[in-house]
Structure formats: C-alpha cells, structure tokens
Amino acid sequence: LQEGAIDKTDLENKIKRYDLIEFQKRRNVDYQELVSEFMAEQPKSKLLTFMYVDLIVAALPNSFFEKLNLERKRLIQITLSIMFYNLFLQAYIYGEKPISTTQRKWLLGRDDFYLGIDEIKKVCWQIEKKDFDIFCEKYAFNLGNKKVSELKGEKFYRNGDKYFVLCIVEFLEYILIKTERLFKESCTNEEFSNYQRKKGFAFEEFVFSQFKGFYKNAVHSVYYYPQKDKVAEIDILLQEENYLLIIECKSGTIELKSASTDEEIRKKIDNKVKKAYNTLENANNYVALNERYKFSNKSNVVEGESKDKEVLCLHLSMYPLDAISSNVHVLNEKYIGESGNPKITMSFEHFLSICLDCYVRGMAIGTYLKQRKKNIIEHPQAHFDNNELDLYYQLTNKGNKSMLNESLENGILGNFNEDIRIVTTFHDSSGKEFRPASEMLKDIDNRILYSMFKNAKSQYGLNKRYMIYLNEYLLVNTLD
C-alpha cells in the first residue's frame, strides 16, 4: 500500500518478496521447524473468536474501562460492527449476488473495504465518533506515520482518515490479545489475578454449556479424594458405557506467531500445558490405582468400577495451538506421562466442531479420542497432521478411507522411521483442493451466526434493521 504497484503481477511479486524476507528473518540462520509450522495459516472460527473477545471483556474490571475512557459495551459494539460490516462486504463483493434496493440502503456504505464512523453506525447507531476515535487511537496502526517494518502484530490499520482490516479473524484475535495487553500495562497484581480467575471460570462455564448440549450426562466442577485428607477438582467429566472422559479447560493467554525460535515455542507450550497435564495425570492415576472411583459435586455423583472404564484425558485450550496441538506428545516424552496414558490437547473450537460432527453422524466423541489415544501410544514419536480437524477427517472418514487410516490399520507406518512426519492435502471428487478444517469451522460459524442474529439487538444493541437485512442477504447467498 505504501509503495504502490504497477499492476496485479507487480503487487504479487512484492508480496512474495516480503514473504521471503519475513521467512528468512524468522529462520534465524538455523532452520526453526516449529517456527515454520506456526507461520502457516490455519482455518479459524470468526464467530467463536468474537465470543472469546466478549468473554475477556466481560471479565475485565470496571477500572480498566475508566482508564481506557471507553465503555465496556462500546468496545464490544465497535468490534462487532467492524466484523459484521466486513462480513457483509466479503459476501457482497466476492459472492457476486444481487442486492435489493432496500438491502443496499441499510447495509452498504463504502465498498472499497475502507471504513469510518459512517460505516460503523450502519451496524450500531449507539456508537459515537468520540468512542470510535478512542478505539482507533488504542488499536489502529497508522500507516501515515509508521513503516510496515514497525508492525508488532497489529491487524487494524489506519490510512489517512480511513481504516481497514485484511482478515476478520486476525482482527478479532488481535483485539483479544491487545485488550489483555493494555490491561496488563495498567493493572495491579491483585486485579490481574482476579481477572484470570474470572476469565478461567467463564471459559469453563462456556465450554460446559456447549458440551452439555451434546452430552446431557456431562458434569461440571466435580471433586474426588485421592487420599483421605486431600481433595482435587476436575473441570468437566463425562461417563459413557465404556470410557471416562476427563476434561481440563485452560484460558491462559498464549501467542506463538511472534516466537522466533523453536526453544521459545517449546517453553511457551510447556508453560501452557504442564498444569493441565499434571491435573489429568493425577485424575487418571486416581482411577487406575483404585478399584472404584467417585467424583461428585452438590448435584451429581459419578462413580463406578475402574476396570470397566477406559480413561481419556483431554486438555482444551481457549487460545489455539493448531499447528502443534495434535502433536504435543512428540515435543517431550513427559507429555504422555508416567502412567502411559496420553493427554490430548486441542483448541475448544476444534473440539466443538468434532462434537457437532459426531452428533450429526451419531458417533460418540469417545470413539475418536480412543483412536487418537491408541495412535499416540503406538507411534509416540510420529507427527500426525498439524491440524486436529484435518486429522479427525482422515481417521473417521470410513466411507472413503484416507491413506493415513489405511497405513495405521495395516501397520504400514512400522516400515518407516519412528519420527515420521505426515503432511496431507485433500481433494474433492472434482479434484479441487479443500480443507476439512475449513468446512467444519464454517458449520460452527453458521450456527453461532444464526444465534447472534436473534440476539444482536437485545444483547449487543446493534441496529435491528441492519441485522434483519444482513441475515436476509447472507441467507440468500447461503441457499444459492
């Protein structure tokens, strides 16, 4: 944007040149394998990312917004307005679908992907210019007085008196990380500890509310007694006929794209997972070392014979670890644990997508997790696909078996080095490349979007007419 381009080819060549410079810079002389993996973009849920923004904003203390000079509700409204306006523009510009005169009146401002207060107010009349100016001052990167080389993860940009984003989900992730960073800069230790507790509990509640929709017998915040004078807690527990699923939820902030070395990534991941893995290891040992187990809270008791149940351990992360989550076990043998029962890490958006797909197919979530556990035990050094949803598609697509599935079932992997790395591409019946992860996350976004259309006015104060016509326009595009 700053340099200009003669034509599309010139622009593409400049982008490739900058990509190469960035890649070489991040390799730091020696090849950094994990750094390279995290540079690759992963599909993500737009709407679930926004719900995380909503969650952390709700957990922040009033004092933060007083210092910011921006109401809590306004921060959410501005973020939502930017998201929805860009969502509509993408459908309008790239969908090439007709738009009615009425829809155009209520939905369309500028169509060049720049936005200002006029476009924002189309989505939410309550936002005043002073609110938008404060938001932009705190979050926007000004291309007029800064060089691109000064970027430090910003995903909201100012060009003159106009603003734009390049990617909706990256913008939302940036708001999430930046808001927490702003809070840390001005809060006391006590305020930050209270915020972390509140955010952690809110994330657990959110995970449980979604999971309970698929598994009615799931229970939240249950306790057990590994010794007579000791008590321990589990976030979520699901007991099915032949397995016991123990879930530990963690909302701790982690940002790996800025890491420049593999060692930095390893340390961040270790700090991220070790507490959850210790909790899961202890709960697994409690079941394994006792003839009977008993987990309970004020409303529920989950108990049974230990020999009758296979224990499945799952760590759910609020912040995605997509590039490595399905392969955390290869980073260090301690992640499998002395018990030999692997802990599986995945982002909640991936877990929710898998739960939805299992529900539609009439398959228990434990069926997939038992398969994952078996594969890790049999191939502890193997790198499977670097996206849990793509891996799920391969392992469960029985009607059209993947090469990975056949290799596992027929023992073919035993003919290769133990640390084999499996990278997969996918093509449909027409030979067109696609990502199972993208398709599964679209299903999640569609369901959340449907719910938000119903509640956008009452819950967030967005303009009723805008949401009605946006729903109408997107629905037409979806049905077509």
Side-chain angles (χ1 to χ4, degrees):
L1 181 64
Q2 288 180 335
E3 294 178 1
I6 299 172
D7 52 28
K8 183 179 178 181
T9 301
D10 184 32
L11 177 63
E12 289 174 345
N13 287 336
K14 286 176 186 261
I15 291 172
K16 288 177 182 177
R17 177 165 55 85
Y18 277 108
D19 278 346
L20 181 60
I21 292 171
E22 177 69 11
F23 180 72
Q24 290 174 335
K25 182 174 68 175
R26 292 175 67 122
R27 283 182 63 168
N28 272 347
V29 182
D30 296 324
Y31 177 65
Q32 302 291 326
E33 186 175 61
L34 294 176
V35 170
S36 177
E37 288 180 359
F38 277 98
M39 284 181 68
E41 291 300 322
Q42 297 279 2
K44 293 184 177 69
S45 164
K46 301 178 185 69
L47 278 299
L48 199 54
T49 306
F50 166 74
M51 295 185 81
Y52 290 160
V53 175
D54 198 21
L55 185 151
I56 68 116
V57 168
L60 289 166
N62 292 331
S63 58
F64 169 71
F65 297 96
E66 292 170 1
K67 294 174 185 176
L68 194 64
N69 198 26
L70 187 66
E71 291 181 36
R72 187 190 309 267
K73 187 176 182 179
R74 292 291 181 266
L75 177 56
I76 288 296
Q77 287 176 330
I78 294 170
T79 302
L80 258 182
S81 297
I82 294 172
M83 182 192 81
F84 274 127
Y85 194 78
N86 276 277
L87 191 65
F88 159 69
L89 272 188
Q90 287 185 3
Y92 171 67
I93 300 296
Y94 301 117
E96 299 180 348
K97 299 292 181 179
I99 185 171
S100 69
T101 303
T102 306
Q103 289 170 345
R104 180 184 292 273
K105 173 185 174 182
W106 291 100
L107 297 177
L108 185 61
R110 307 178 64 113
D111 62 1
D112 56 4
F113 286 96
Y114 280 119
L115 56 86
I117 186 62
D118 293 337
E119 286 69 39
I120 292 298
K121 290 181 78 69
K122 277 188 171 291
V123 187
C124 182
W125 284 110
Q126 295 179 16
I127 299 170
E128 301 294 335
K129 186 178 185 301
K130 64 179 180 63
D131 301 321
F132 185 60
D133 288 344
I134 291 171
F135 178 89
C136 293
E137 181 186 347
K138 292 294 183 182
Y139 290 94
F141 181 89
N142 192 340
L143 292 162
N145 55 28
K146 291 184 178 180
K147 297 179 180 179
V148 174
S149 58
E150 297 178 67
L151 277 168
K152 295 181 180 178
E154 293 90 346
K155 300 297 179 181
F156 181 48
Y157 310 98
R158 177 179 178 180
N159 186 30
D161 60 350
K162 305 183 291 287
Y163 299 86
F164 67 96
V165 301
L166 293 175
C167 172
I168 295 174
V169 74
E170 285 189 351
F171 162 73
L172 294 170
E173 286 182 325
Y174 166 63
I175 297 299
L176 185 69
I177 298 294
K178 176 70 172 180
T179 302
E180 286 196 321
R181 191 174 295 145
L182 288 171
F183 174 59
K184 286 181 183 178
E185 290 172 358
S186 61
C187 70
T188 64
N189 291 336
E190 183 180 2
E191 284 177 326
F192 186 66
S193 296
N194 289 337
Y195 161 71
Q196 285 185 307
R197 283 193 293 271
K198 193 171 181 180
K199 179 178 75 163
F201 184 73
F203 179 58
E204 285 179 32
E205 287 283 343
F206 178 61
V207 171
F208 180 67
S209 68
Q210 299 297 316
F211 188 52
K212 187 79 171 178
F214 299 106
Y215 295 94
K216 303 299 181 185
N217 56 334
V219 293
H220 179 219
S221 293
V222 291
Y223 298 87
Y224 68 95
Y225 296 85
Q227 299 173 13
K228 287 185 178 180
D229 59 342
K230 291 189 75 173
V231 62
E233 183 183 9
I234 289 298
D235 290 341
I236 299 173
L237 194 69
L238 174 65
Q239 179 176 257
E240 296 282 75
E241 287 185 6
N242 58 1
Y243 67 86
L244 194 66
L245 174 57
I246 302 172
I247 300 176
E248 189 68 11
C249 305
K250 292 298 178 187
S251 62
T253 309
I254 185 168
E255 204 283 304
L256 297 173
K257 282 190 175 182
S258 61
S260 58
T261 68
D262 286 0
E263 185 59 28
E264 184 181 351
I265 290 177
R266 287 174 182 273
K267 287 181 179 178
K268 286 187 175 185
I269 290 175
D270 190 55
N271 290 334
K272 175 77 173 179
V273 305
K274 63 183 178 183
K275 187 175 180 180
Y277 279 26
N278 287 337
T279 300
L280 293 168
E281 178 83 351
N282 292 337
N284 171 79
N285 290 341
Y286 163 70
V287 177
L289 297 175
N290 292 276
E291 292 184 1
R292 291 186 60 83
Y293 59 85
K294 181 179 179 180
F295 299 86
S296 61
N297 56 26
K298 292 181 179 179
S299 307
N300 304 279
V301 175
V302 179
E303 58 185 335
E305 299 283 342
S306 298
K307 63 180 176 60
D308 295 334
K309 295 292 188 289
E310 179 176 358
V311 178
L312 303 171
C313 298
L314 180 63
H315 162 227
L316 293 182
S317 169
M318 177 173 151
Y319 295 78
L321 297 166
D322 295 347
I324 193 64
S325 64
S326 51
N327 297 303
V328 170
H329 59 280
V330 306
L331 298 180
N332 195 310
E333 61 183 16
K334 71 179 181 180
Y335 291 137
I336 293 180
E338 294 181 4
S339 67
N341 188 4
K343 286 60 143 180
I344 299 169
T345 285
M346 66 176 74
S347 64
F348 176 62
E349 67 176 1
H350 282 183
F351 181 65
L352 186 60
S353 296
I354 291 171
C355 285
L356 175 59
D357 193 72
C358 285
Y359 177 78
V360 171
R361 295 166 61 173
M363 182 176 77
I365 184 68
T367 302
Y368 174 64
L369 294 177
K370 283 192 285 187
Q371 177 67 38
R372 287 282 283 113
K373 173 182 172 179
K374 178 175 180 288
N375 295 155
I376 293 173
I377 291 173
E378 293 179 351
H379 306 281
Q381 296 181 44
H383 293 248
F384 294 101
D385 205 296
N386 66 351
N387 183 287
E388 189 71 43
L389 296 184
D390 290 341
L391 181 57
Y392 168 83
Y393 179 85
Q394 294 179 79
L395 295 178
T396 63
N397 192 10
K398 300 296 183 182
N400 184 18
K401 282 191 177 181
S402 67
M403 290 181 64
L404 174 60
N405 216 354
E406 290 189 347
S407 297
L408 290 167
E409 290 181 3
N410 299 326
I412 297 175
L413 292 188
N415 299 324
F416 298 91
N417 291 338
E418 291 182 354
D419 60 349
I420 183 174
R421 176 176 296 274
I422 300 163
V423 181
T424 310
T425 57
F426 303 87
H427 297 82
D428 61 21
S429 56
S430 302
K432 184 179 179 181
E433 188 170 347
F434 76 100
R435 287 289 297 274
S438 298
E439 299 304 313
M440 293 179 70
L441 288 170
K442 281 180 185 177
D443 288 341
I444 293 295
D445 272 346
N446 288 338
R447 288 171 183 267
I448 298 175
L449 188 60
Y450 175 75
S451 174
M452 289 187 71
F453 279 135
K454 293 195 300 182
N455 302 315
K457 172 65 177 176
S458 59
Q459 187 172 355
Y460 299 110
L462 302 190
N463 299 340
K464 186 175 181 180
R465 284 184 181 272
Y466 184 89
M467 300 312 295
I468 288 173
Y469 290 119
L470 178 61
N471 183 24
E472 182 183 279
Y473 184 75
L474 293 179
L475 182 63
V476 169
N477 279 273
T478 302
L479 291 177
D480 286 351

